[in-house]
Structures are given as structure tokens and as C-alpha cells.
Amino acid sequence: MSAIERARTPDPRIPVSPQLALRVAIIGGMAMVMFSVIFFRLWYLQVLSGEKYVQQADANRVRDLPIAAPRGQILDRQGRSIVASVTTNAVQVIPSLLPAAVAEQVAAYRKRLYGAEAGFRVAQEKLQRYESEIKSGAGHADLAQRRELRRLQSAAQLPSVSVSPLPASAVAARRLFGRLGAVIKLSPRTIDERVVQGMTAVPYANVTVKTDAGLGPRTVLGERQSEFPGVTQQPVSIREYPFGDMAAQVLGHVDQVSPPELRLRAFHGVRQGTVVGQEGLEYYYDGYLRGVPGVQRIEVNAEGYPVPRVLAPTAPTAGRSLKLTLDLGLQRESEKALLQGIENARASGKPADAGAFVALDPLNGEVLAIGSYPTFDPNRFAKPLTPAEYKELVGSGSASGPLTDRAVNGAYPTGSTFKPITAMAALEAGVITPSEGLGAGSCISVSIEQFCNAGHVDFGAVGLVEALKVSSDTYFFEVGKRANARGALIQEMARRLGIGSTTGIDLPSEFTGVVPDSRWRKQQNAEELRCRQRRHVSSCGIVSEVRPWTVGDNMHLAVGQGDLLTSPLQLAVAYSTLANAYVDGGVGTVVTPHLGREIDEANGGLLQSLSFPPRRRVHLNYSDLGLVMEGIHEAASQPGGTSAAVWAGWDQAQHPVYGKTGTAQHEPLEDQSWYMAYIADPKRPIVIAVTVEQGGFGAETAAPIVRLMASQWFGKPLKFIGGSSKTF
Amino acid sequence: MPLSPIKPPDETPVAPPRALRLPFDPLLTVAVVGLAICSLVTLGAATKNLVPGHPRYYVDRQAIYLTVGFAFMVVLSRVDYSQMRKLKNVIYAALMFSILAVLGLGHAARGSTRAINFPLFSFQASELGKVLLILALAAFMVERSRHLRERDTTIRVMIAALVPAMFVIAQPDLGSGLVYMVVAYTLLFAAGTPWRHLAALAALVAVAAGFVLVAAPAAGVNVLKPYQVARLTAFLHPSSNPLTEGYQQQESKIAIGAGGKTGRGANASQIPNGFVPESRTDFVFAAAGEQYGFAGAGLLLLLYALLISRALRVLVMSKDLFGSLIAAGVAAMLMFQVFVNVGMTIGIMPITGVTLPLMSYGGSSVIATLLAVGLLQSIYVQARASAGLKGRVLRY
């Protein structure tokens, strides 16, 4: 540029006039105002509210990923592991290290997914609008409207969006997934689908391709890392039930927390995706077992993708151990014994399709063994179940499946095992005297109904002790008939001993039980009538016929039949009460049965002993109780006793057995076999309840199982001795 | 560093005779050099993740723009600005031509057509237009210096600014159009237009704004593009729609606020992780605020205050009215852009797409601003020369 010479023509030149000075001052003043506004605003934002905005910025950039805490162990009473958490390796892929073709797939998939979701929302809105249109219009929808409604309904379904296959040109990705699939035994297509769906759902996290890859892939992937770019292995803790189906119903199983569960108070503060207990003890003690998950903090950008910066993670805290009252040896032998009893019953042509057992320490309510057949392997829940598998586990219709804990949730009449309770009630109320002979003949008639002994045997008129020993039904029918005149005597005794209400065991659910009396009958009748009216049906099935309480009902109850429903656990509590009163001069402690003994730290130190105070104490007449106990002791030990044959060779002096058989009738099905026993010992007494559905007479099937369990508990030789008594 | 062959010319020529040394306004120079350094430092941290594999992509380019701009500034400072008065028609024609050319040939970026793409450079006419308009309007007013108090002059000046402003707003570049109008108003103000006229203009603006924002949409006529209305209203209630218009401003406020007293430095996340869109251009102040906190933002404000105070000082010391008016126009342009731009990043002004002079990434804005500063330097030099305060004999 050439030099521009100094201006020669004189320009109109203004000196700084007062007017200009004023106006410049105004401009300068405005600049000052402007700068002070900005300055104070910045002061407010940065100095006064800085902390708040740092939090907001962190909320923007940091995504938390939980690090699962290893779940606490479940131990038996001696500290032997029953349920453990084992560490295995999950195979994951790191999205940012995958070939670019996968990211393109993700983008395409996400686009289609969002498109489908948008379409779904539009269709739903359309449907809702149409529905409200019809509703606001007068009367019912006509045929065309209903057809249109159906069309809209079928359109308003969330379509499933599939992952488009990898293009043939994506050689690197195809090769990688092919190689990986060969190692972890998945098809490359499955791997690709999991990766794309995972990356779409949570773009900043690694995608788990296989949860439990096992040892083989661990070594292969570890040694040949360079062949698997973007593939990594993460140690994960999974639940293991080393004893398989043992005590499966009480132990429960684990699974990821479900959305409805997240709203429960029990799972307050649990993050989505956490593995929690689903049933049984795993559920009941979940708060102790699950531990506190750690947090892996990932920094993301505005698109939600991770940026390469490492934020310090928070380590997880392992869950606490739960020590149970269960005795591993007794538990395993009991399950074996139950199976043996069932097989034995089947060999003699009975269906024997289900059964349960409970063994209690009567002094404190500790559950020493508990089990239910059929059972299942909780390890099956480690993988998603098919609907068919799930249905098989839950059971269909009235037949409950393996998931049902029959020891706690079984609802059964008890048969003659109820007789000691009837006897106690009648003696205390003075309805009978011990020596009075009753029940002569093989049957009793009340109005038009016949009440007979099993096989129409005639025991003659017998006293109380003998009636219990031989299990004379006619005797107890007579007692039931007499008691009915005095009201709900038997029912009250049953309730005092612990039947007909929940026991308070530390499990998520238990059967309440039914002890029928005239009030109960009235309630049921009223409910049935209400139901019939509401649903316009001839019968709701709450009661088979609407009729008042009869003396016959009470007579059935006296022998543990009729409308009585209870669980093996409740009956075991009732027998424990009797046993406690027997050793304690008539003061019967109604214990709270429980499985939890103590909570231990993950490293083994005791954290907290669990205490289950007894429900209450009942006062029984000691001499009456003595007679009842004598009766059931003779039944198990004296020739002619219903279960004496089963206990042949048992040292009754060392460990006297107080045992009662029971045979509950379920016409037209095979009878249900019952046996209840209290075996005294100064140090380790035990109450055992065993039942086998459709197992035949009590002495045949249930009693030998109890003998096997008792033999294991007291260290005697294990012998299966079938009884032959054919009494109810 | 792949810097262009363009080198900043030595501000002191090789072994010049003492008498030839050019007196720059030292404080003005300190302000612009300081802002240029701040721009490079801020962009360096804010844009390192934007182009994968090229962390210095934007810094290098901004450095080139600044170098070219400083070259232009030095050259302009040695030119006697008063000669440009004679070229006023050429300048105004160039202004109109470049703006119309953009409308005709322009390259659309994010829905607006603001620039013409040349092989190495995309030319944003509205930025250069600010400087051209200042020159043309100042020259026009000097010509009518005897009629400055007449209504006719006021109207003509406003129309001369309004025509290019309308075309620029149609691009649409609302921010630059507003700068044109503010420049014209300030020139009138500085030239001594009667208060009456100024008040009438202000009232007219208020009525027009009410019409554009309230009355016309109610009547079904949209003068502004929907996004412009949305931005303007989003500023008034920022949390009502945080995912769209309000989002940018909300994230910008979070970035600046999170900067705290001394900034987050390497811990910064809002800008490097891309939570604030346009953080290298319109929202560069948010980047500075997050990285360097109140201290850094305060330093920037001080540099701008220095720059504007020097522009006002040059206004007062100019040897002629033409120089004073140019200085007034430049001061108005800088004040408006700084206030509106910083104001929008801290949530006290609507989002109007005004760049932050010298800080925002972009060649057109940087070079246009440095041309304006070059004019200030020239006025300063000429004033010094004519007043004979220093270096009485100045040879070119």
C-alpha cells in the first residue's frame, strides 16, 4: 500500500465541546453500568453459587455404575456353608474399542428403536382419544366402532425392533464376534445383538456378553488378549447352592430386583439391577445378605459416551453371613429319609406325590431341619426360566409345585396326631375322666351319620391312655360329641397350643391355619352367600353347603379331620408346647420357630445374635398332661401301640419317644400319612413332624421317616422300619 | 505447529531511524494482544476433544486469523483514515454488495446463510460489514456536519443503517443486524443529534419490538424466525424448556458457575465434554468462565474495559469529527457485543448470536474486530501527529 500523505484539506475540526464531553461521559457511564452488571452477575454465579453449579456439572458428566457386592453366605448351625457366593468371570466388551461398524449398527438400531417408540406413542394417543370419544358418545359402541377400536388396539403395540445384521463389509467385527463366539459358545449373531442392545441402553458402560463364562474362556481370553480387541473379563459374584435342592424352599433364591419390588419398603435404597433375595431366607434376611454395592464413576460427554478420564470408584461392601439353626447332617439325612419313605410308599402302590418334615428344638424353637418334597434346584434361577419351566415350578391349578414349602405353607387336616390336643382339652374341662371307658363298638351313629374306626375295628370301651395308644377313633368321636355341648373346648386348646395362627417363623410367608368352630362356620356361610350374590353363581366353593355348625363337625375335629387345616410347622409348635409343659411342671412355652441364629460379619466375626422370644406360656394341668404323654409314649413303645413296631429296638429308657400316628382322609384320594414325635433328652430334645401326601397310614410311611431322622439326631444306626398299624 | 506462512509483521521495522518509529496506542495494544492470548488459551483447553486426533485444530486456525488480523491492524494504523472519507460511496456499495452476495451465494450453516465459502476461508460478510458501516455512516455524517441537528439527517442515517441491517437479519443474523442499528444510533448520539430525535427513535424501537414480538405473531405474521422468538422468550423463563432453547443457556450458566473463584482447570467438564453447544464461538465466555473461574472472567472483563475506555479516549482526542465518529462507532460495536454476548452466557440477555470480539473462534469476526482496532490506532496516530505531541516530523 502506498503511503497516504497527510491530509492537506482542513477537515471540520471540533474541539472537545461541552456537548461532546457530556455525550462521551454518558457512553462511558453506560459502559460502567454494563460492566458492573456483568461483574455482579458473575460474582453471584461463580462465587456465591459456585458449589451448586459444580454439583449440577457433576450430575451432567458423571454416571454411576453399581459394582455388585458379594452376597453374604448362609451357614448351618456349625458354620458349614450351605449357600455361597462364588466369583466367576463375566465376558464384557468395551464399546469404544470395538470396530466402527458396530457403532454404526448401534446408531441405526437406536434410530429405529426411537422411531418405533414414537410411533407407539402416537398410536397409543390415537387409541386413547378414540376410546374417550366412544365413551363420551351415547350408549355402547356399535360394531364398526368396535372393529376400529380393535384395529387401533393392535396398532398400539410396542413393536419389537430387531438388530440389523452386520454388513458383509464389516470384516473386523464379524471376525471378532466369530472368534469370541467360538470361545464362549455363543453364536456371533447373539453376541452382536447383545452388544448392540447393551450399547443402546447404556452407552457409557461395558456390555456383558456372558455372565458366567467359566474357566476355559478365562484362560483363552486372558492369554490371547491381542486377538480379542475390546473384549475384557470382569470378576462377578454369583450365588451358588452347593447342596442343590436341599432345603430349597426355605433358602429361597436370588434374582435381579424387579420394578414392583423396588417400590417395596424391604428394598428401600436398592438400585435397579441389584441382585436380591426372592423367596425364603434369601428374601427375609436380604437386608443383611446383600451388602452395599460399590460405585464405578464414569465421566460422559453430552452425547452420553464415556470420555477417557478415570474417576475413583467406591468399593463394594460384602454382605453379612447368616448362620442358621439348621443342622446340615440332620437336614441331609431327613431329606434322604423323606425320599426313602416316599419310595417305599410308592412301592406299595400309593401315589405319595408330596411330603414335608420339620424338626424343632422344643426348648427354644430352633428349626433343626425343614424340608418339602417335591423340590427344585435354586441354581436353576441363575439363568432365565422359560414360561414352561416356571409353570412347572409354581404348579398349576390346585396342585402346588416344587416352589411351595409344604412344611410351612401346607394346609392339611392332621388326622389322629390331633388327638392329644382333644384329650388335653377334654381332661382340663372335665368332660371326661381318665379312667372312664368310652368308644365301645366299631362305629358311633349321630343322627344319620356313621362315625367308625379304621377298618371297623372294635377296641371296646377303653380309658384315655389306651385310647391314645391304640388311636381309638370311636373314643375321640365320643369326646368330640361331649365337648360340643360345652362349646369350643377343643378349638380353644388347639389355639392355645399354637394351631390356627401364624407361628412367627422368619420366612416371608406361612399358612395361618383354620381351627373350625360354629363362629367360623357362620362367617364362612355369610361369605359364601355374599359371593354367590355378587357373582350370580350357584356356588363359590368357600363351603360345600351352607349349613350351621353340627355336633358331627366337632366329632370330626376331635380326630383331626373335618374342616381343620394346619401346617406341619404349627403342629410341631403345638407338640413342642406339650413337651415343654411336660418337662416344666405344666408351664408350656409356646416357642417361636426360627431358622436364623446369628448374623456374622463377612470375615466371620459375630455381628448380632438373633433372638426370637417365645410367643407366650400356657398353663396346663400337669396330671392331665402326664396321662396324655403316657398315652402317646405307650403308642410308640408298648406292644399294641400304633407306632411301637416302628420303634423296635429303640432305647426308650435313654430317649423316650412320645409319638402319635395320623392318617388324614382325602376322599377319593389316598390317605395322607402323618407322624408327630417328641423325643426327650436332657440336652437336645427334638420334636419331629412328618407328613406324606397320599402316603397311606401314618405308621406305614411317616413314622419310619421320623425314626430315621431321630436316629441321625441321636447318632443311632439308620434303619427304615415300616409300621403295620392301620389306624387313622 | 503447521502455522501458515503468514507471519506477524514486525511492529518495529528493521533498524528504522528513531524518528520513524510509529507510536501505537500502547494500552489499546495491550488490551487486544491480551484478549488474543486469552482467546488462544481458552480455545486450547475447550476444543481439545472436538476434532479427534487434532487437539490444536481450532487453536491453530484461530492463531492464523489473529495473525492476519494483526497484520491488517498494523497496516491500517499507518494509513490516514481521513482519506477514506472520500471513498464513502465505494465503502457503502461494498457493504451492500457483500451482504447481498451472501444471500445469493451463501453457504448455509445451521439453517442460516451467513457466509460465502472460499477455499481457505469462509467469509462472513455481516462481520466485515460492521466496520464498513461505521466508516460509511461516519463519512456521511461528516459530509452533513452542518445539518446534524436536522431531522432529515437523522432519518437518512437511520435508513442507511436499516437497509443493510434488514438484509443481515434476513440471513438470518439477528445479532449483527442489531449491532448495525446500535452503531447508527450511537453515531447520531455522539454527533450531537438533538435529544428529541434520539428519544423518538428509542420510542420507535420500543413500538417496533412490541409489534414484532407480540402484535404480529398474534395477527399470524411471523417477522422473526420461530427459533429467534423461542430464544428470546427462553431467556425470560430459562427452566420452562430446558431441553431446547433454554438448554444452551442453562448449561452455559452451569459451566460458568461451576468455575467458581479460580476455575476448574483440568477438571472442567461442561465445555470439554460438549454440554454447551457453540462453546468455541458464541459461548466462548462460558469456556473461559469454567476453566479459569471468576479470576479469569474478571481478567477478560478488565481487558474489555480497557479496550472500550481506550476507544472512548481516542474518540475524544481525534483530530477531526470523522475520527471521533469512527471511534464512537467502534466503541458502540464493542460495548454492545461484549454486553450481549457475555450477558447471554450468564443468563441475563437473550441468545442473539453475537460473537465475543477477539475471543470467539472465527476469522471474519476476529479480522473485522482487528480492522476496527486498526482504525482506532490510525486515529490515535493521526491525532498525535497533528497535535504534535510527539514526533513532530512524521514521514511516510
Side-chain angles (χ1 to χ4, degrees), chain A residues 473-485:
Chain A
D473 282 344
T474 44
Y475 181 95
F476 283 95
F477 285 140
E478 187 66 42
V479 175
K481 189 171 140 195
R482 286 192 192 180
N484 195 47

Side-chain angles (χ1 to χ4, degrees), chain A residues 42 46, chain B residues 256 258-265 287-298:
Chain A
L42 278 177
Q46 299 192 298
Chain B
I256 292 173
K261 294 188 189 81
T262 53
R264 305 177 82 192
E290 185 185 25
Q291 299 272 350
Y292 310 111
F294 188 67

Side-chain angles (χ1 to χ4, degrees), chain A residues 517-525 545 547 549 563:
Chain A
D517 56 15
S518 62
R519 240 184 61 213
W520 172 83
R521 184 85 210 176
K522 267 185 212 139
Q523 271 174 10
Q524 296 296 104
N525 288 342
E545 55 175 321
R547 55 167 180 79
W549 178 257
D563 294 311

Side-chain angles (χ1 to χ4, degrees), chain A residues 1 3-4 11 13 16 23-24 34-35 38 41 45-46 50 53-54 56-58 60-61 299-302 309, chain B residues 79 83 85 189 192-193 251 254 256-258 260 264 266 268-270 273-275 289 294 315-316 319 339 346:
Chain A
M1 193 181 281
I4 294 173
D11 279 312
R13 202 190 147 97
V16 179
R23 295 203 170 190
V24 172
M34 172 190 113
F35 277 112
I38 293 176
R41 175 69 176 173
L45 284 180
Q46 299 192 298
Y53 286 113
V54 168
Q56 290 187 15
D58 281 342
N60 265 345
R61 69 158 172 167
E299 180 166 347
V300 297
N301 62 15
R309 176 147 49 180
Chain B
V79 171
Q83 299 301 319
R85 192 157 69 83
F189 181 82
T193 302
E251 295 301 324
I254 292 174
I256 292 173
R264 305 177 82 192
S269 61
Q270 283 286 102
N273 292 10
F275 288 101
F294 188 67
L315 189 166
V316 173
K319 68 175 183 181
F339 186 58
I346 57 180

